[in-house]
Amino acid sequence: MSTTTRSVPTTSTGRRPRTPSRARTASIASTLLMVVIGLAFLVPLLWVVLASFDTEASLSVAWPDSWSLGNFAAIWNAETTFRPLTNSLILCGGATIVTMVTAVLCAYPMSRYRFRAKRPLLLTIIFSTGLPITAIMIPVYSLFVQVNLIDSMFGAILFLGASSLPYAIFLTKGFMDGVPVEIEESAWTEGAGVLRALWSVVLPLMRSGLAVATIFTFVSMWGNFFVPFMLLLSPENLPAAVTLYTFSSQYGQVAYGQLAAFSIFYSLPVVVLYLFLGRTLGQGFAAAGGVKG
């Protein structure tokens, strides 16, 4: 009497394929994990919204007993909100422009030309992206004192832009490498110069990459506390990231409701920038397939 054994199919790696029940279990587990992660991010946002309308807010997430606009009225003045936000827009906006213009001009030759120092320069840039800003602030502060740039908005813009430059160059070069050089060469044959081809051909084709680099650069500057805290001294020049500590009294008490209301205004510029530039993020590479054939 002979017995037959059923062969179990295996994949190319020698493993058994997942059964429908195992695949369903894995899908449910991954969904639950994503829900837990989403709730971990949602709870602080929920606290900010609820606490901003609660004059008796605390650290706990609680529904307000009575909804009030008192927290917004308390911070609705130039000294607490409008002037710090204006300083932040000037500081971070100016530094972002300096960073992105310099990053494009630095990334272009590194993407299009070959030279002996290219690899060491790239390694230096990659190393600089991981260098903590606190490691260089003491010599930078000493330098700013000697050149009389302490408490200067212009000096803070230059240093904040320079400190964000390595990561911006790294991002911009990666997106610029995706633009085929053949498209740029066709512009050269028509008489366009290097800068003209960069402005009229390369940059329009990498709009999504520039949007990503700009958003990352601005957001990293917007939340930077240490640099303006060290380089700016006058209350008239302090950005919103530094004035956040004013909601804590000298006895350790915190006005949580006013802090939450201020946080909503503090987040608006980043949200507006993302909505303005986010439209280009899903466009991808505009010239995909343009050099085929």
Side-chain angles (χ1 to χ4, degrees):
M1 187 177 203
S2 61
T3 58
T4 60
T5 58
R6 181 180 299 177
S7 60
V8 179
T10 58
T11 61
S12 58
T13 58
R15 298 179 180 178
R16 295 183 180 181
R18 285 187 176 183
T19 61
S21 60
R22 293 180 60 188
R24 190 181 304 110
T25 303
S27 177
I28 294 175
S30 61
T31 302
L32 291 177
L33 180 61
M34 294 301 296
V35 169
V36 171
I37 295 176
L39 290 176
F41 282 93
L42 181 61
V43 169
L45 296 178
L46 183 63
W47 177 86
V48 169
V49 175
L50 294 179
S52 63
F53 293 98
D54 188 1
T55 55
E56 303 294 333
S58 62
L59 282 176
S60 61
V61 180
W63 194 265
D65 295 332
S66 60
W67 294 76
S68 173
L69 296 176
N71 293 323
F72 293 95
I75 66 169
W76 193 260
N77 56 76
E79 183 179 357
T80 304
T81 302
F82 302 141
R83 187 173 61 195
L85 287 179
T86 302
N87 292 337
S88 293
L89 290 174
I90 295 174
L91 178 64
C92 300
T96 300
I97 294 175
V98 171
T99 299
M100 292 309 302
V101 171
T102 309
V104 168
L105 296 178
C106 292
Y108 181 76
M110 298 178 62
S111 176
R112 290 297 187 260
Y113 301 106
R114 296 181 179 179
F115 49 95
R116 183 172 301 178
K118 180 177 180 178
R119 180 176 175 80
L121 185 58
L122 284 174
L123 294 177
T124 303
I125 292 175
I126 294 174
F127 170 77
S128 300
T129 58
L131 189 66
I133 196 67
T134 54
I136 60 175
M137 277 309 301
I138 299 301
V140 167
Y141 182 83
S142 176
L143 176 64
F144 270 52
V145 170
Q146 295 179 12
V147 298
N148 198 24
L149 283 179
I150 288 293
D151 201 25
S152 169
M153 185 68 73
F154 176 74
I157 288 174
L158 290 182
F159 177 73
L160 199 60
S163 61
S164 302
L165 190 57
Y167 190 63
I169 294 176
F170 181 73
L171 280 180
T172 306
K173 180 188 177 300
F175 289 111
M176 194 173 291
D177 290 340
V179 180
V181 70
E182 291 81 2
I183 300 179
E184 191 176 356
E185 289 175 348
S186 64
W188 294 343
T189 58
E190 297 294 332
V194 175
L195 293 179
R196 179 66 178 178
L198 173 63
W199 177 260
S200 302
V201 178
V202 179
L203 294 184
L205 294 179
M206 52 177 295
R207 287 193 300 268
S208 60
L210 287 178
V212 171
T214 301
I215 291 175
F216 269 92
T217 301
F218 183 84
V219 170
S220 64
M221 295 178 182
W222 189 257
N224 194 311
F225 169 84
F226 194 62
V227 171
F229 179 76
M230 292 288 295
L231 300 182
L232 300 176
L233 305 178
S234 301
E236 296 78 11
N237 293 332
L238 295 180
V242 178
T243 59
L244 280 172
Y245 74 89
T246 58
F247 293 97
S248 301
S249 66
Q250 60 179 344
Y251 301 105
Q253 298 177 349
V254 181
Y256 291 109
Q258 298 179 19
L259 177 62
F262 182 82
S263 299
I264 292 179
F265 287 109
Y266 182 60
S267 304
L268 286 180
V270 176
V271 175
V272 171
L273 178 66
Y274 179 80
L275 293 177
F276 178 74
L277 297 179
R279 296 175 298 176
T280 64
L281 297 181
Q283 295 180 1
F285 180 42
V291 296
K292 292 184 178 179

